[in-house]
């Protein structure tokens, strides 16, 4: 059962003091499937795979997907079969935020390992029981800064080591931040999941041979026992996320675990639709497909949200006060609340977009200014809602005892690094649909 939630941990625009009493992570039909989560951050992929989280109703087309309704706009999704039994990330803020949210559902603090994947794999190879047994799925959004179009695009030649520090010339090249996907591949070697999901920025596919190399290396896992399908770029706006985020998704399926029919189908160049593990889009971000609803605009998820001065929610009260740096600098634009937001970045301060810009700074959307609302950047809560994190996720809180607190700057960082939970939810639901057909 969901543990008690303090009133200040529920975003006040929901207008509820107590969420419905329920067990949101009850699985759908079939036994629970164990997920080992790598590069977990604050849990965007994990929340989506588990299901049972608060979601805006316009982000999910099927009304039967909801377990219960909270109000006209928000409901709680049914749980999925997937259970996170291992998570890891090197960021203290990520671990603290993840545990603050997930502990409500009786997830043990020992589930999350704040260590580099390199160190974890090395310990496992020395015989230590680092990773759990009976892993069904491995997920991982391996670090993307070195492949991002917005970065230096160092790719495999990253200047950073596996722990995020500047790389010493003596650091082995395979331990750079740009090659951490290969350590994810070694976790797959060790745990032998039936399926793995790897995620990265769209820019990876245009960086030389990076896509082909990564696909080949993943396919070689555990003695070439994985069918790695051609990676697909998914636009978050096509799956009910009010954001222009695009991510490349690699899906690998254990060949020896598949039944003969599924193995034959997945080995074809044109995979039959009923065996395709990639989710079918539910929305159309271009607005050109009359058969699908248009992308969810920001104004839907911001409906009723209070200004920082009026909110009790720390993630809404505290926000970047970085000055306007000029229109030619990154992050100096304002969002159009009647449309999708740009990709939420992991940087903070001057790289967070504005909720609204003044006319002095060439603001284009003056409706809120005319109401007397001041120029300001997006709050962590607004960034989180754009990323489809549930509004009861307490992103900003103080240290208590041994638990490391999360500042507004730390919240921006972990939110921007995350996979949108609603996008992950659609991936998970599709895997549930094909699971029995595969295995």
């Amino acid at each position: 059962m969901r543990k008690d939630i303090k009133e200040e941990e529920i975003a006040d625009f929901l207008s509820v003091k107590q969420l419905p009493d329920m067990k949101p992570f009850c699985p759908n039909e079939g036994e629970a499937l164990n997920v080992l989560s790598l590069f977990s951050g604050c849990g965007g992929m994990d929340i989506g795979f588990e299901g049972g989280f608060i979601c805006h109703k316009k982000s999910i087309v099927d009304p039967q997907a909801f377990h219960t309704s909270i109000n006209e706009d928000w409901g709680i999704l049914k749980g999925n079969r997937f259970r996170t039994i291992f998570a890891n990330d090197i960021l203290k803020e990520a671990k603290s935020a993840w545990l603050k949210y997930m502990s409500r559902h009786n997830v043990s603090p020992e589930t999350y390992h704040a260590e580099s994947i390199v160190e974890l794999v090395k310990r496992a190879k020395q015989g230590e029981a680092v990773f759990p047994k009976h892993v069904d799925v491995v997920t991982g959004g391996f670090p993307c800064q070195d492949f991002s179009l917005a970065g230096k695009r160092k790719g495999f030649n990253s200047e950073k080591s596996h722990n995020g520090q500047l790389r010493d010339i003596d650091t082995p090249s395979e331990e750079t931040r740009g090659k951490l996907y290969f350590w994810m591949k070694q976790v797959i070697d060790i745990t032998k999941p039936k399926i793995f999901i790897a995620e990265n920025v769209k820019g990876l596919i245009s960086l030389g041979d990076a896509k082909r190399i990564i696909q080949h290396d993943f396919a070689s896992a555990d003695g070439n026992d994985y069918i790695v399908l051609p990676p697909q770029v998914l636009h978050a706006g096509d799956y009910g996320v009010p954001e222009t985020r695009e991510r490349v998704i690699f899906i690998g399926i254990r060949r020896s675990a598949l039944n003969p029919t599924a193995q034959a189908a997945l080995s074809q160049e044109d995979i039959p639709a009923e065996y395709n593990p990639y989710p079918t889009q539910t929305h159309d971000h271009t607005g050109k497909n009359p058969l699908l609803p248009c992308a969810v605009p920001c104004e839907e998820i911001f409906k009723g949200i209070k200004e920082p001065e009026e909110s009790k929610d720390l993630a809404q009260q505290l926000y970047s006060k970085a000055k306007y740096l000029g229109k030619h600098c990154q992050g100096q634009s304002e969002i159009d609340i009647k449309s999708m937001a740009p990709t939420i970045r992991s940087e903070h301060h001057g790289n967070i977009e504005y909720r609204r810009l003044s006319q002095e700074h060439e603001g284009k959307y003056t409706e809120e200014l005319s109401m007397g609302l001041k120029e300001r950047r997006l709050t962590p809560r607004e960034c989180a809602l754009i990323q489809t994190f549930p509004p009861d996720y307490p992103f900003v809180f103080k240290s208590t005892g041994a638990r490391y607190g999360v500042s507004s700057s730390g919240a921006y960082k972990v939110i921007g690094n995350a996979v949108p939970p609603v996008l992950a939810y659609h991936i998970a639901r599709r895997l549930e649909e094909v699971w029995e057909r595969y295995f």
Side-chain angles (χ1 to χ4, degrees), residues 193-215:
K194 290 181 177 177
I195 288 180
F196 71 81
I197 311 291
E199 174 264 350
N200 209 280
V201 292
K202 178 186 176 183
L204 179 147
I205 63 175
S206 61
L207 188 63
D209 278 346
K211 177 175 72 72
R212 181 188 60 80
I213 292 169
I214 291 173
Q215 186 177 355

Side-chain angles (χ1 to χ4, degrees), residues 142 156 181 185 196 204 209-221 224 226-232 249-252 278:
F142 54 96
F156 299 131
Y181 81 91
K185 176 262 179 189
F196 71 81
L204 179 147
D209 278 346
K211 177 175 72 72
R212 181 188 60 80
I213 292 169
I214 291 173
Q215 186 177 355
H216 174 271
D217 287 345
F218 274 138
S220 71
N224 296 307
Y226 282 85
I227 298 173
V228 181
L229 304 179
Q232 288 192 13
I249 305 293
F250 295 83
I251 296 180
Y278 287 97

Side-chain angles (χ1 to χ4, degrees), residues 24-28 33 35 44-53 77-85 98 102 105 107 424-425 428 432:
F25 290 161
C26 55
N28 289 315
L33 300 171
V35 178
M45 185 75 85
D46 309 332
I47 293 170
F49 261 69
E50 296 222 9
F53 60 96
L77 292 168
K78 294 176 181 176
N80 295 328
R81 290 176 62 186
F82 300 102
R83 297 293 170 272
T84 308
I85 61 171
W98 192 97
M102 297 291 279
H105 308 293
V107 175
Y425 174 82
E432 278 193 356

Side-chain angles (χ1 to χ4, degrees), residues 230-430:
Q232 288 192 13
V233 174
L234 303 185
H235 190 296
D238 287 337
Y239 297 91
V241 181
E243 183 182 13
T244 58
R245 199 178 197 90
E246 293 181 280
R247 287 297 184 267
V248 60
I249 305 293
F250 295 83
I251 296 180
I253 306 157
R254 187 171 179 80
R255 184 179 279 105
S256 60
L258 289 164
N259 63 55
T261 303
Q263 187 175 144
L266 291 167
S267 299
Q268 296 179 34
E269 185 172 346
D270 293 320
I271 298 172
E274 63 268 30
Y275 286 92
N276 189 340
Y278 287 97
T280 303
Q281 71 179 92
T282 59
H283 297 67
D284 176 31
H285 80 276
T286 68
K288 296 178 180 178
N289 187 341
L291 301 179
L292 294 175
C294 293
V296 179
C298 291
E299 65 180 352
E300 288 290 345
I301 59 163
F302 286 172
K303 193 181 297 182
I305 197 166
K306 297 180 180 179
E307 284 299 296
E309 298 80 8
E310 302 170 347
S311 179
K312 295 179 181 179
D313 176 10
L314 285 177
Q316 181 66 9
Q317 288 178 2
L318 306 173
Y319 60 93
S320 171
K321 302 298 198 303
K323 295 181 179 179
Y324 181 69
L325 303 176
K327 63 181 180 179
H328 298 297
C329 296
Q330 179 174 276
Q332 309 312 299
S333 60
E334 62 185 336
I335 65 166
D336 177 2
I337 66 169
K338 296 187 181 300
S339 184
M340 292 178 291
T343 299
I344 299 299
R345 303 184 187 90
S346 63
E347 299 93 342
H348 50 281
H349 298 309
N351 288 316
I352 296 299
E353 257 80 18
Y354 278 81
R355 170 65 188 267
R356 63 188 75 92
L357 273 174
S358 66
Q359 290 180 301
E360 174 191 358
H361 293 145
E362 301 184 44
K364 294 182 289 185
Y365 311 111
T366 60
E367 182 178 344
E368 292 187 342
L369 293 174
S370 65
M371 297 166 56
L373 301 178
K374 66 180 182 181
E375 174 182 275
R376 66 167 174 83
R377 294 181 186 270
L378 289 167
T379 65
R381 176 63 65 201
E382 289 165 339
C383 290
L385 292 174
I386 288 168
Q387 278 271 67
T388 65
F389 275 95
D392 63 332
Y393 195 125
F395 274 107
V396 179
F397 51 89
K398 297 178 181 178
S399 300
T400 53
R403 175 167 287 169
Y404 187 80
V406 179
S407 66
S408 57
S409 293
Y412 282 131
K413 187 171 186 178
V414 298
I415 292 166
N417 271 333
V419 176
V422 165
L423 177 58
Y425 174 82
H426 284 295
I427 295 171
R429 293 291 291 171
R430 179 56 183 162

Side-chain angles (χ1 to χ4, degrees), residues 1 20 30 61 96 103 116 156 173 219 248 339:
M1 296 294 289
V61 173
S96 191
S103 63
S116 162
F156 299 131
S173 61
V248 60
S339 184

Side-chain angles (χ1 to χ4, degrees), residues 2 5-20 53-57 69-76 101 104 300-306 311-313 381 385 389-393:
R2 184 194 296 267
I5 302 173
K6 297 178 182 178
E7 181 179 347
E8 60 269 23
E9 292 181 1
I10 305 174
D12 43 21
F13 68 86
L14 282 180
S15 300
V16 293
K17 294 183 178 181
Q18 183 64 46
L19 293 174
F53 60 96
I54 299 176
C55 178
H56 198 282
K57 292 178 180 177
S69 177
I70 295 176
N71 58 32
E72 181 182 352
D73 298 310
W74 298 87
I76 302 179
Y101 179 80
R104 299 172 182 175
E300 288 290 345
I301 59 163
F302 286 172
K303 193 181 297 182
I305 197 166
K306 297 180 180 179
S311 179
K312 295 179 181 179
D313 176 10
R381 176 63 65 201
L385 292 174
F389 275 95
D392 63 332
Y393 195 125

